[in-house]
Amino acid sequence: MPRQFFHVTAEMVVSVVDAVVAHRQAGEGQVCGFCGITTARAKQALGLATELGLLSEAGGQYSAVPPLAMFAAAPSEKQKATMLRVVLDCYEPFVRFRERLCATNSAEQAAHQTKQLLDLDADRDDVRETLVSLGTYTQAITSIGAGKYTVEQSAINIDVHDLAEACADLTGAETLVRKWIGPHADKAGRNDIVLPLSRGLLKTRGVELRDVIGDVGNAVESFLAELAGRMTVNLAGASGIISKLDKFRVNNKLPKKIVEAAKYLGHVRNAADHGIDVEVNAQWVILELTAKTYPAVACAFIRAALEHEHNGNHSI
């Protein structure tokens, strides 16, 4: 029986893994919305990410497989490429393609031979395009022009250094996030709140400003869900940050000024996520200043809510 082969770019694989990491668990529809891709492309990218061991799937829901998958949210493209490089060295179609590329010095022949050796169900050009994309993105192979490629022989210790650097960056961001949240930071769940805030903070260095809003917005919504459980606030029927915040005004669980100030976070998230806004008949552009301050505003809100919850202090 032919072996299934997924036709996709390396960038798309990293993107869908990042989407799942941001959501913590996601279906195809959520991944399509987050990445701005079609269902067909999402299926291919999710399929390969799962085969590579970066994701797991159960009942149509995808989950990230730690620890490597978490580096899909790293701010550096080099760190993302390193993550993919590590798993690529265990992906048989790429390993065989690289072997045949060394033997033939031809990507076309190498793809054809890999397809035949492994009985892949895709045509030769799809095999070549995918494996060349994976190889060049991760610098496992290098283009030398005129459709020719050389195989990179760099040692794995370079990869380990890059991943260690990413770990150090995330640790530093987490330390700052906890400092911003203040003395009650231990009340904010690490996996669902602190780490997404930290990833969002790291992404303020990059150019994908909407990703900052996505990570931080998810963290805020998770915080509201945790806080509601402790304050016995019923969130039934509330979807999104703004509608959840409104539930905290019932019985004055949170002061009006904290709630209304925090709605800024919800409105910015909606502007980033919802495409064309019918009110202005355009998609909102996320300013660099907005993205860079968004994690700090979120941490300030969480701090204010926690201080109100635990000691009755009123800060904003």
Side-chain angles (χ1 to χ4, degrees):
M1 182 176 181
R3 174 174 176 170
Q4 185 175 14
F5 184 83
F6 300 99
H7 181 210
V8 66
T9 65
E11 291 85 355
M12 195 67 70
V13 173
V14 173
S15 181
V16 300
V17 175
D18 184 27
V20 174
V21 169
H23 285 91
R24 293 176 291 284
Q25 188 178 69
E28 283 181 6
Q30 290 170 298
V31 171
C32 289
F34 188 89
C35 300
I37 57 176
T38 65
T39 300
R41 288 184 177 180
K43 283 180 182 293
Q44 294 293 306
L46 288 166
L48 182 52
T50 302
E51 187 168 354
L52 291 171
L54 294 170
L55 300 178
S56 62
E57 185 272 335
Q61 291 293 305
Y62 292 85
S63 301
V65 178
L68 281 175
M70 303 307 164
F71 293 105
S76 163
E77 285 298 322
K78 187 177 182 182
Q79 291 162 352
K80 294 177 182 179
T82 299
M83 171 203 71
L84 194 56
R85 172 72 178 274
V86 171
V87 296
L88 201 56
D89 283 337
C90 296
Y91 180 49
E92 188 179 14
F94 181 76
V95 172
R96 299 305 295 270
F97 174 75
R98 186 172 55 189
E99 291 171 356
R100 300 317 304 160
L101 184 59
C102 286
T104 65
N105 198 32
S106 166
E108 287 75 16
Q109 289 186 53
H112 173 75
Q113 292 170 3
T114 300
K115 169 181 166 61
Q116 295 302 314
L117 288 167
L118 300 180
D119 194 19
L120 303 179
D121 67 358
D123 66 42
R124 183 193 68 182
D125 288 342
D126 287 351
V127 172
R128 175 181 53 78
E129 289 173 4
T130 296
L131 297 178
V132 165
S133 175
L134 292 169
T136 54
Y137 179 79
T138 61
Q139 297 183 10
I141 65 174
T142 303
S143 172
I144 57 175
K148 299 294 184 182
Y149 301 87
T150 59
V151 175
E152 177 58 51
Q153 302 294 336
S154 62
I156 194 67
N157 68 322
I158 297 176
D159 298 335
V160 173
H161 171 78
D162 291 337
L163 293 182
E165 185 180 71
C167 285
D169 286 346
L170 186 58
T171 299
E174 182 176 349
T175 299
L176 182 56
V177 163
R178 289 185 181 279
K179 180 180 178 181
W180 282 348
I181 293 176
H184 303 293
D186 61 314
K187 300 298 182 182
R190 182 172 187 265
N191 290 337
D192 291 346
I193 301 170
V194 175
L195 288 183
L197 284 169
S198 303
R199 289 194 295 266
L201 180 59
L202 285 175
K203 288 178 180 178
T204 60
R205 303 176 183 175
V207 296
E208 298 299 328
L209 301 181
R210 291 180 191 277
D211 289 352
V212 176
I213 310 303
D215 282 338
V216 175
N218 287 343
V220 170
E221 191 163 3
S222 294
F223 171 73
L224 291 172
E226 281 193 7
L227 188 63
R230 295 196 299 268
M231 288 186 165
T232 63
V233 172
N234 183 2
L235 295 182
S239 61
I241 292 173
I242 296 170
S243 58
K244 283 182 171 63
L245 282 166
D246 284 334
K247 297 288 187 177
F248 284 86
R249 291 299 301 135
V250 179
N251 298 322
N252 199 34
K253 295 292 185 176
L254 282 179
K256 181 178 180 180
K257 286 183 172 58
I258 290 179
V259 167
E260 294 301 318
K263 285 184 178 180
Y264 165 81
L265 298 166
H267 287 298
V268 171
R269 187 198 197 193
N270 290 342
D273 284 354
H274 292 174
I276 300 297
D277 186 334
V278 295
E279 183 180 7
V280 296
N281 197 31
Q283 184 178 42
W284 289 95
V285 173
I286 303 302
L287 298 174
E288 182 178 3
L289 181 61
T290 299
K292 288 186 180 300
T293 57
Y294 195 72
V297 174
C299 289
F301 158 65
I302 291 171
R303 178 172 186 148
L306 288 173
E307 288 189 352
H308 175 79
E309 177 190 11
H310 290 285
N311 57 22
N313 287 350
H314 298 111
S315 58
I316 194 167

